[in-house]
Amino acid sequence: MMNAQEILAKLPYSKPFLFVDELLQIDENGSTGTYTFDKDLDFYKGHFKDAPVTPGVILTETMAQIGLVCLGIYLSQNTNSELKAHVMLTSTAMDFMKPVFPGEKVTVTAEKVYFRFKKLNCNVVMKNEAGEVVCKGNISGMVTTKMND
């Protein structure tokens, strides 16, 4: 079985678009990971002027990277370990409850709903360091070996 470091090494992202610091847990039912939003990230310069918050699309991307891509790589390892798996986001439904500010660390937990016919569907929750839910929802993606598959 692939461990957390091997999964992180297979992520198709790099800074400044890598939103996974640590993968705490992963198995066939879900994943949990963390990310700290560096206060110097470029999008904070204009969202919002003089009172920056993390954009919802970035929070969604963070949940997708930890809860969908990492889990998709883990689940697809048994199908053909020689091929590189890509996980392409296909749909999201998110609710945002609290802002995430520059410098905050979040924890994302994903629970697999289903993985069949190359489609992965997960319920995801993001919490701040105080344990408060900042956003949650459902996210889906296709696991493929080609970017245009």
Side-chain angles (χ1 to χ4, degrees), residues 64-136:
Q65 287 187 19
I66 294 171
L68 192 72
V69 180
C70 288
L71 185 56
I73 290 169
Y74 178 85
L75 293 173
S76 66
Q77 72 181 342
N78 294 332
T79 57
N80 189 340
S81 59
E82 296 298 311
L83 296 173
K84 187 174 182 178
H86 298 285
V87 183
M88 308 299 289
L89 185 66
T90 58
S91 66
T92 64
M94 292 295 152
D95 291 317
F96 300 95
M97 284 74 140
K98 293 187 170 290
V100 175
F101 298 103
E104 276 198 84
K105 180 179 181 178
V106 295
T107 300
V108 174
T109 301
E111 178 183 292
K112 179 183 76 177
V113 176
Y114 63 82
F115 179 52
R116 61 179 177 263
F117 305 116
K118 299 197 296 182
K119 187 167 186 177
L120 176 58
N121 180 281
C122 299
N123 290 323
V124 290
V125 176
M126 178 183 284
K127 293 183 179 180
N128 60 19
E129 286 185 278
E132 303 166 314
V133 174
V134 295
C135 51
K136 65 180 180 177

Side-chain angles (χ1 to χ4, degrees), residues 34 36 133:
T34 65
T36 301
V133 174

